[in-house]
């Protein structure tokens, strides 16, 4: 007999498995009531079996009408408050409080709760006729709890039809107004290969989300690829936890629309695996890409952790602390954590000051949501807390969680162990005892677990929080990759439309001398000079604004926004001024915003983002950028991480980007939005190969090849001592004085002796020493949290170096900014190099930090003419007259005018000045065809024209006198 490959067989296989694990199979015609959307027989059976006294009380009040009254009340509660509310909270009537579902207990404190949980009735109906007439439409599968429907499923077998047909059936053949669809919490479109889900049916607009283990579900021997739905998710214990701890209603503040939230597969899998594995003292790294729904995952995890009990019925974690790396905690994160709060007061948001956080820690609030930056201020207030276990969830774990600020946070939460007490007993010196206690507080964290979430883990982050395998590699505990997020449609691929522009320029030397400068630094200064030149800023501004008005302006149904990433705060100021001027000249109906920290001084003026944006009081840049007419946001080291604006479509890049910074910056435009179908990056500063290498490690899975070798610290310690400017006695003397609170002059006296020794070193040794010192500080700050041992001498050296570094004089020669006075820009050109698609592949292996090269490199000295030639060779090209910059071209033309040259040769400057207008006007007219923009600016502005004429005349005679 041949194999049955029909959809019906697929359906029966699922039902038979559910029946074998505790479900009851019911009949659509005999058991389901279309008007109430209930299996009333099972509902009454559950109530009477688990709550007989309540039923008796209710029956006394209503007599023979009790059943009718009960169902009228139940249906009314479901219609008004929703199925999830009724399952979690039950309802009251006639003095009786009825439970419609008993959750699975998470501890053994009340054994009766297990009996109640066992009283729940889980059932399934196949081919359920839901329309209120004969031979109406049918649903393949419907799951019920105690007679209440909670989910539907449409099944397809890929031998006949794919999952796409199940989605089409929901969108086109299922009326979302039907009561059954409004009552159920989730709807699955399922084939033997793929699963998709929707929590609200909206006809053709229904959005189905993937509910798969990855881009492809792995094969399962002797079962379907999608068997995890009925083997795992729909199992009685798992679906009970979904009802109790995961599903909730999210309300849109603007539209007031309520939507049931059901976890995506990776969210559910991540939380369940963490809750099953976690214990105090263990750390976990979760690499979840943008678009993963990270805030919801964190919220579910926080509530799961606070409700996790050990075999002795004690909480595994006394407090859960959710820490955001942003100074202003992500509002969404706060709201997500509070949204699934079942008992008021479980969640406390720290949005005031450090005292509020200290009080929350002392009183033992269950879940605290705060920022990392508040921790250093509460050290003293919480040192004497009683023994507690903490779970710390870190949102976007980066360098600040692996450095000194994180050391302080760990010190607050750690508690000394008995093993530590033994070590302390072996230390006689009280200063060393205090230091050792400090070191141990960073290392022995048996009472804390860290759960670090990030889309772009660095090597340090992997080593700090990752899981080490047998090969010594560090991997994330759980992954949801950028590749999966893109292919599942939760974020856009920002590398698909990547447009690069090449920059070409020529510099000229304006002095006869040919002084020597340090080549590398001189080139850096000259490139900065070029990119700050008004012509460069103006030319790129024109390219960007013309592109915006002709392309981006119309994207996302005319709502698209742009971010311009600049090299520096001064660049941001210059671009803001130039953009606004060009917009005004062309009467474009848009405005710009600028974002940078602090104050920028330029041309004897002071600029701040507030003074340049001129926004109303209390209106933030973020809020203004979401409104018309603000379409372009110009940034300098601000809003390049953590900024979430779905209407951002295009990014203009005029800054070198690399590594994690490139990924984080360019990912600002990857958010999805209605009518947003693509993105564009227009890059003036980076090679596509650099961007590809930056994205490669984070596209699939990131891991660290091996851990940092702690013994590198000893190598660096020896290297520092080999310079013989201090010894261990100096270190001991200083640290003892510092820890005992000696007066400042005594500390300076010790350090001044070391400083004098440093000054006597050769420059080569000074450079090498400072490099080794910085390397030691960086590695120790990180490794002190990981080392499997304690060494008081390393900690002392860390403290000593911290103060020594501040005392030592600067040895690097300053950047030779005076070189800018000796050169000018002859020409500048920006050329479109074409649009491309950048396609990362493969997993990303990161290397651990090394001791590094601490040797001295002699700066190469080059003559100014050679430096200019090198730059011109690298960035020059063939130029037309139209590419000549400002006055230089006009001046050269005038100098080449034979008639004018003869007059200058045979007459005084005063006499030539009298006839100079004629030749000047001829040159201006010549610009009419080649540079209309420059011509109009000069001709329309009398003051500018007169200044230009005088300047040209003087330049002309300067050059003439040299001939």
């Amino acid at each position: 007999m041949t194999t049955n490959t029909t959809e019906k067989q697929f359906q029966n296989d699922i039902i038979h498995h559910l029946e074998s694990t505790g479900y009851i199979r019911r009949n659509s015609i005999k058991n389901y009531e279309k008007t109430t959307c209930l299996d009333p027989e099972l509902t009454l059976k559950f109530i009477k079996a688990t709550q007989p006294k309540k039923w008796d009380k209710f029956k006394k009040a209503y007599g023979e009408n009790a059943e009718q009254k009960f169902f009228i009340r139940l249906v009314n509660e479901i219609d008004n408050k929703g199925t999830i509310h009724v399952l979690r909270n039950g309802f009251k009537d006639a003095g009786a409080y009825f439970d419609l579902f008993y959750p699975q207990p998470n501890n053994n404190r009340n054994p009766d709760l297990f009996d109640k949980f066992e009283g729940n009735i889980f059932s399934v109906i196949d081919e359920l006729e839901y329309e209120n007439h004969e031979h109406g439409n049918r649903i393949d599968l419907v799951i019920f709890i105690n007679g209440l429907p909670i989910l539907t499923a449409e099944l397809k077998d890929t031998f006949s039809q794919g999952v796409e047909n199940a989605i089409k059936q929901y969108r086109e053949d299922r009326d979302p107004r039907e009561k059954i669809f409004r009552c159920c919490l989730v709807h699955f479109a399922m084939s033997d290969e793929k699963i998709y889900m929707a929590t609200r049916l909206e006809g053709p607009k229904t959005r189905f989300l993937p509910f798969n283990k990855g881009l492809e579900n792995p094969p399962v021997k002797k079962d379907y690829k999608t068997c995890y739905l009925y083997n795992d998710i729909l199992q009685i214990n798992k679906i009970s936890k979904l009802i109790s701890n995961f599903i909730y209603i999210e309300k849109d503040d603007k539209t007031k629309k309520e939507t049931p939230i059901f976890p995506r597969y990776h969210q559910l899998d991540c939380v369940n695996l963490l809750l099953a594995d976690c214990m105090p003292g263990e750390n976990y790294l979760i690499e979840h890409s943008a678009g993963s729904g990270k805030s919801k995952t964190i919220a579910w995890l926080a509530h799961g952790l606070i409700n996790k009990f050990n075999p002795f019925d004690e909480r595994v974690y006394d407090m859960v602390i959710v820490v955001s790396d942003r100074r202003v905690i992500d509002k969404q994160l706060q709201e997500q954590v509070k949204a699934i709060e079942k008992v008021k007061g479980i969640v406390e948001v720290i949005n005031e000051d450090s005292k509020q956080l200290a009080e929350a820690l002392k009183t033992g609030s269950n879940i605290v949501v705060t920022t990392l930056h508040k921790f250093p201020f509460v050290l003293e207030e919480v040192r004497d807390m009683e023994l507690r276990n903490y779970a710390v969830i870190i949102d976007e774990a980066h360098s600040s969680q692996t450095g000194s600020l994180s050391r302080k946070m760990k010190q607050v939460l750690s508690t000394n162990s008995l093993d530590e007490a033994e070590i302390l007993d072996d230390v006689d010196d009280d200063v060393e005892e205090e230091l050792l206690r400090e070191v141990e507080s960073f290392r022995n964290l048996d009472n804390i677990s860290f759960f670090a979430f990030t889309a772009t883990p660095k090597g340090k982050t992997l080593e700090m929080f990752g899981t080490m395998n047998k090969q010594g590699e560090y991997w994330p505990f759980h992954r949801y990759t950028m590749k999966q997020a893109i292919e599942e449609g939760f974020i856009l691929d920002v590398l698909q439309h990547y447009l690069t522009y090449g920059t070409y320029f020529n510099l000229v030397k304006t002095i006869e001398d040919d002084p020597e400068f340090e080549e590398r630094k001189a080139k850096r200064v000259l490139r900065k000079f070029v990119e700050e030149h008004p012509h460069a800023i103006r030319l790129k501004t024109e390219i960007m604004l013309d592109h915006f008005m002709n392309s981006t302006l119309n994207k996302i149904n005319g709502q698209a926004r742009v971010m311009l990433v600049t090299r520096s705060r001064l660049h941001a100021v210059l671009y803001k001024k130039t953009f606004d001027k060009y917009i005004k000249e062309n009467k474009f109906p848009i405005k710009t915003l600028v974002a940078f920290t602090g104050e920028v001084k330029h041309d004897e003026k002071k600029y701040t983002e507030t003074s340049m944006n001129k926004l109303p009081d209390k209106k933030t840049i973020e809020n203004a950028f979401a409104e018309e007419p603000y379409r372009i946001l110009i940034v300098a080291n601000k809003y390049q991480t953590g900024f979430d604006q779905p209407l951002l479509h295009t990014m203009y890049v005029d800054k070198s980007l690399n590594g994690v910074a490139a990924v984080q910056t360019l990912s600002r435009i990857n958010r999805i939005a209605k009518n947003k179908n693509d993105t564009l990056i227009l890059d003036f500063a980076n090679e596509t190969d650099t961007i590809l290498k930056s994205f490669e490690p984070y596209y699939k899975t990131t891991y660290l090849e091996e851990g940092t070798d702690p013994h590198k610290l000893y190598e660096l310690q020896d290297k520092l001592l080999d310079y013989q400017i201090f010894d261990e006695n100096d270190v001991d003397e200083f640290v003892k004085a510092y820890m005992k609170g000696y007066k400042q002059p005594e500390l300076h006296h010790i350090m001044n002796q070391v400083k004098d020794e440093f000054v006597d070193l050769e420059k080569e040794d000074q450079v090498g020493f400072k490099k080794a010192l910085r390397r030691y500080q960086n590695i120790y700050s990180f490794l002190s949290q990981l080392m499997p041992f304690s060494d008081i001498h390393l900690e002392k050296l860390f403290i000593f170096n911290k103060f020594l570094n501040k005392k030592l004089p600067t040895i690097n020669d300053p950047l030779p900014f005076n070189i800018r006075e000796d050169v000018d820009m002859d020409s500048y050109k920006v050329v479109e190099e074409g649009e491309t698609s950048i396609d990362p592949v493969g997993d990303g292996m990161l290397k651990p930090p090394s001791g590094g090269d601490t040797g001295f490199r002699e700066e190469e000295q080059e003559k100014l003419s050679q430096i200019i030639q090198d730059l011109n060779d690298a960035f020059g090209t063939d130029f037309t007259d139209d590419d000549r910059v400002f006055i230089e071209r006009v001046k050269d033309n005038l100098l080449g005018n034979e008639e004018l040259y003869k007059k200058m040769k045979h007459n005084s400057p005063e006499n030539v000045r009298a006839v100079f207008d004629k030749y000047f006007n001829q040159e201006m007219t010549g610009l009419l065809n080649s540079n209309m923009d420059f011509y109009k600016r000069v001709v329309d502005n009398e003051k500018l024209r007169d200044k230009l004429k005088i300047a040209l005349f003087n330049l002309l005679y300067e050059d003439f006198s040299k001939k």
Side-chain angles (χ1 to χ4, degrees), residues 589-717:
I590 60 171
K591 286 187 177 181
T592 68
L593 292 163
V594 68
F596 58 88
T597 56
E599 181 180 87
V600 175
K601 295 178 182 178
H602 180 63
D603 288 344
E604 299 181 355
K605 289 184 180 180
K606 296 178 181 178
Y607 299 92
T608 66
E609 62 180 25
T610 303
S611 67
M612 297 193 82
N613 290 327
K614 297 182 175 62
L615 294 175
D617 292 342
K618 297 183 179 180
K619 169 93 58 171
T620 65
I621 291 174
E622 297 98 310
N623 291 338
F625 193 45
E627 301 172 357
E628 296 296 341
Y630 298 102
R631 291 297 196 93
I632 299 173
L633 177 59
I634 303 166
V635 303
N637 292 324
K638 205 170 179 183
Y639 295 118
Q640 287 174 233
T641 61
F643 180 55
D644 191 355
Q645 171 49 266
L647 295 179
L648 259 181
H649 174 277
T650 299
M651 181 172 286
Y652 301 137
V653 181
D654 194 24
K655 174 183 181 178
S656 293
L657 297 172
N658 199 359
V660 172
V663 179
Q664 292 176 335
T665 300
L666 301 182
S667 293
R668 292 312 97 214
I669 64 173
N670 69 10
R671 301 307 192 264
I672 58 173
K674 187 178 181 181
N675 300 312
K676 182 178 178 182
N677 303 313
D678 57 12
T679 63
L680 178 75
I681 294 170
L682 194 157
D683 196 334
F684 295 98
N686 299 284
E687 299 289 338
T688 54
D689 281 350
T690 302
I691 301 303
L692 173 63
K693 289 174 183 175
S694 298
F695 271 78
E696 198 98 57
Y698 305 105
Y699 193 61
K700 288 188 178 178
T701 300
T702 316
Y703 69 98
L704 182 65
E705 181 184 26
E706 60 180 350
T708 308
D709 182 2
H711 297 93
K712 287 186 173 71
L713 284 170
Y714 290 112
E715 295 173 12
L716 288 167
Q717 182 189 33

Side-chain angles (χ1 to χ4, degrees), residues 537-554:
I537 297 287
R538 175 75 183 193
L539 185 56
K540 284 189 273 195
T541 295
E542 291 176 6
I543 290 171
M544 288 184 275
L545 274 172
D546 289 347
H547 174 270
F548 178 82
M549 296 306 298
N550 292 313
S551 178
T552 304
L553 179 68
N554 302 311

